[in-house]
Every structure is written in structure tokens, then in C-alpha cells.
DNA sequence: CAAGATTGATAACTCAATCTTC
DNA sequence: GAAGATTGAGTTATCAATCTTG
């Protein structure tokens, strides 16, 4: 933690191989899950993320920008996406009582239905393609790695911010 | 390996938590790397993948469909993307001598320059955000997990195929 | 003027034709 | 007719305005 200033070696070829295998595999996995979700439940990954976040929210409703933060999207992307989901009857938007500028996104009944029906096959896919593929030890290691990477990312976001 | 037929429990909440943390973190990491690549080198991830594959190819040229297979894209996506890269002078396309139907994608001089200039900051980013974040043990575990997931994915692709 | 959110223009991705050559 | 590759139409993502309210 004290070597922040010192420039370091570039990655070895073994390290790079690990990196490429890791990122490409996870992307392939994510792609495969997205296809299954689409064909089994007619939802895109984006739809699912939005519906999941709303399902977990108090009163099945959230401020638009909070939703964007939770799922890690830019606001304009979310806004366009919500427009399409609204057309399909999955969500609706209400003006926010407390803050006249804001909007609240509400899970519609049809969205709730779609989400519930999608959940079982989707969790089955997650189990088949991820959880069952790994030993309990590997799963624990995955958890550890993800947590470490996440904290590192958050920290580096902070430090680049403070340089501005 | 003998329990293929038996339906199984749905994931525990701890397993799901691991899954979400894992996939979301990797996606955040990938997104962060893509932003850095774009701002530091004016290349998208797709551009980089194409340039990397061509740089590693014999004579800096490849058949179009082989390139698509290597980077795991659909042919039409690659074709559109190559059109845009060609406009920017990064690659060019030659008719293939051996097979009149085919096209060969060639790394242009400007593409080679851009790729070389992009490499150092990009590898630095990979090191900072991934390699240095993990201990050697975690890196080894990541390698193991990726390999296991990859084999599992390949295997499940095969078995769904044979059911048709 | 800053923050919340939407809009519009442009770029990129996907899917189903299409065209050419084997 | 099948394989290699491109094209076009429709959908989704991104970036820079824009509009409205605090």
C-alpha cells in the first residue's frame, strides 16, 4: 500500500493469459445466460436487472436516479430503457411527491408477473452454468476474489476522483 | 457426473449473493477498462480485440470468419465493425487469393500504430485493476475458476446441441 | 447555477435477407 | 445447395444538449 508512486513491471505473459481467460469466460457465461433469459422468458438482461431492483425495493418503487445507481447505468440509458419497458407494460413512472423534479419508477403488475415467471428458469440457469460448475471451495474463492476486486475498484475510483 | 437427470435444489441465498457479486464486479471491471481504453487511446473494446487478434496473426492478416471465431463474434457484427474500422484507416480488406468468396482482413499501418500505443496504458490498467488487486493465490484461483467455468460452458453447449 | 430527468442525434448490435463463389 | 461474407431494417446504447425545479 506504500508503493503507489513507484511504476511497476508490466504483466507477465502468464498473468495476461489468466486475465484474458478470466474476462473472456465470464463474458461468454454472461452471454449464455442472457440468451437463455431471452428465449425462456422474453426478457433482456437489462429488463431483468430493472425488474429485480424494483422487486427488492420498498413498495416496489424507486427514484429513477437511485435505480440507475443500483444497477450501475447512466441515467440517459435508464430513461430510454424505461420508456420501452413502460410501453410493454412492465413498469410505470409517477411524478415524485417529495421532489417536483424527480420521477418514481413503479413495478407494474405485468412486470411483477413476468419477473416471477422468469425467476425460476433464470436461477436454474445460474445454478447449472455457475454454481454447479464449481466446487464449494471454488465458489468461496470466487466470492473472495469478487469482493477483493470490488473493493479495489471502489478505492481506485475514489483516488482518481481526488486527483481532479 | 451421474446426477445429470435428477432435478436439483434452487440456489441458496449465499450462493446467489456470490453470483451477483461476482458477475456485477466483473462487469464493472470490464466497463472501467473500456472507459480507460477509450479515453487514453480512442479505441473501443471491440477495436482492441480486433487489433489484438490481427497483431497476433501470421502476416498481420486473417480470414474474416476465422477472426470472428477467435474473438467470438457473429459474422455480421464483425462485418459492420470492420466497415467502421476501415473508414478510420485501422484495417483494410483484401479479396482472398485462395478462395474467391473469402475476404482477408489486414492490419493497416495506422491500426498497428494505434494498437502499439494503446497497449502500454491498457496493460497498465489491467495490472492496476486486476493483477495487482489480487494476491498470487487469488490469481491462481481465478485462473482455475475460469478454466473450470470455460470447460463447463463448452460441455453444456455440446450437450444442448445433441438434444436437437 | 446545480441536480433530476428526458430527449435527439449518432453509433453499435442483432437478425433476417441477399449476393457471390465453391 | 451450402459456405463466406455483406447489407438493410429494426433495436439498443451513448453522448451531448435540453428542460424543469431546487
Amino acid at each position: 500500500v506504500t508503493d503507489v508512486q513507484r511504476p511497476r513491471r508490466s504483466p507477465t505473459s502468464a498473468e495476461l493469459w489468466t486475465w484474458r481467460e478470466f474476462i473472456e469466460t465470464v463474458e461468454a457465461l454472461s452471454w449464455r445466460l442472457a440468451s437463455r433469459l431471452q428465449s425462456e422468458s422474453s426478457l433482456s438482461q437489462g429488463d431483468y436487472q430493472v425488474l429485480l431492483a424494483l422487486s427488492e425495493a420498498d413498495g416496489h418503487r424507486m427514484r429513477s436516479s437511485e435505480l440507475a445507481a443500483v444497477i450501475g447505468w447512466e441515467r440517459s440509458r435508464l430513461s430510454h430503457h424505461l420508456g420501452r419497458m413502460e410501453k410493454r407494460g412492465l413498469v410505470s413512472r409517477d411524478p415524485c411527491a417529495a421532489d417536483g423534479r424527480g420521477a418514481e419508477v413503479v413495478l407494474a403488475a405485468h412486470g411483477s408477473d413476468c419477473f416471477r415467471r422468469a425467476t425460476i428458469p433464470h436461477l436454474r440457469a445460474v445454478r447449472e452454468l455457475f454454481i454447479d460448475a464449481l466446487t464449494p471451495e471454488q465458489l468461496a474463492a470466487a466470492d473472495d476474489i469478487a469482493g477483493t476486486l470490488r473493493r479495489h475498484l471502489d478505492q481506485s475510483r475514489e483516488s482518481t476522483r481526488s486527483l481532479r
Side-chain angles (χ1 to χ4, degrees), chain A:
Chain A
V1 196
T2 52
D3 57 0
V4 177
Q5 302 290 7
R6 176 158 52 85
R8 300 253 239 122
R9 61 170 172 61
S10 93
T12 67
S13 61
E15 287 167 342
L16 273 186
W17 200 89
T18 294
W19 161 249
R20 280 172 68 172
E21 176 78 354
F22 184 79
I23 194 72
E24 284 167 13
T25 298
V26 175
E27 263 152 27
L29 173 56
S30 171
W31 190 89
R32 186 82 71 85
L33 280 166
S35 323
R36 282 185 61 163
L37 189 59
Q38 185 70 56
S39 66
E40 292 169 344
S41 310
S42 301
L43 293 176
S44 69
Q45 283 210 94
D47 297 334
Y48 191 86
Q49 282 182 273
V50 169
L51 295 176
L52 173 59
L54 288 177
S55 298
E56 292 177 340
D58 261 20
H60 288 179
R61 59 175 56 230
M62 271 178 111
R63 287 292 293 271
S64 180
S65 55
E66 192 192 347
L67 177 54
V70 165
I71 63 182
W73 289 10
E74 303 205 350
R75 279 208 297 263
S76 81
R77 176 181 176 188
L78 179 61
S79 188
H80 284 298
H81 201 95
L82 289 176
R84 288 174 234 129
M85 291 181 77
E86 200 168 19
K87 271 189 199 162
R88 295 158 62 199
L90 298 170
V91 301
S92 60
R93 282 184 279 196
D94 287 352
C96 177
D99 184 340
R101 298 169 298 182
E104 277 194 329
V105 187
V106 186
L107 182 61
H110 181 234
S112 185
D113 285 354
C114 286
F115 179 70
R116 276 191 287 99
R117 275 199 301 275
T119 296
I120 291 188
H122 184 245
L123 295 188
R124 182 187 307 128
V126 168
R127 180 173 56 68
E128 288 176 3
L129 296 177
F130 180 72
I131 296 170
D132 283 356
L134 302 176
T135 65
E137 292 74 26
Q138 285 176 317
L139 207 55
D143 193 75
D144 172 53
I145 288 166
T148 302
L149 288 175
R150 164 80 73 189
R151 283 187 297 276
H152 193 81
L153 271 178
D154 289 345
Q155 182 189 316
S156 99
R157 186 171 48 78
E158 280 311 312
S159 57
T160 47
R161 219 175 235 175
S162 63
L163 293 175
R164 283 173 197 158

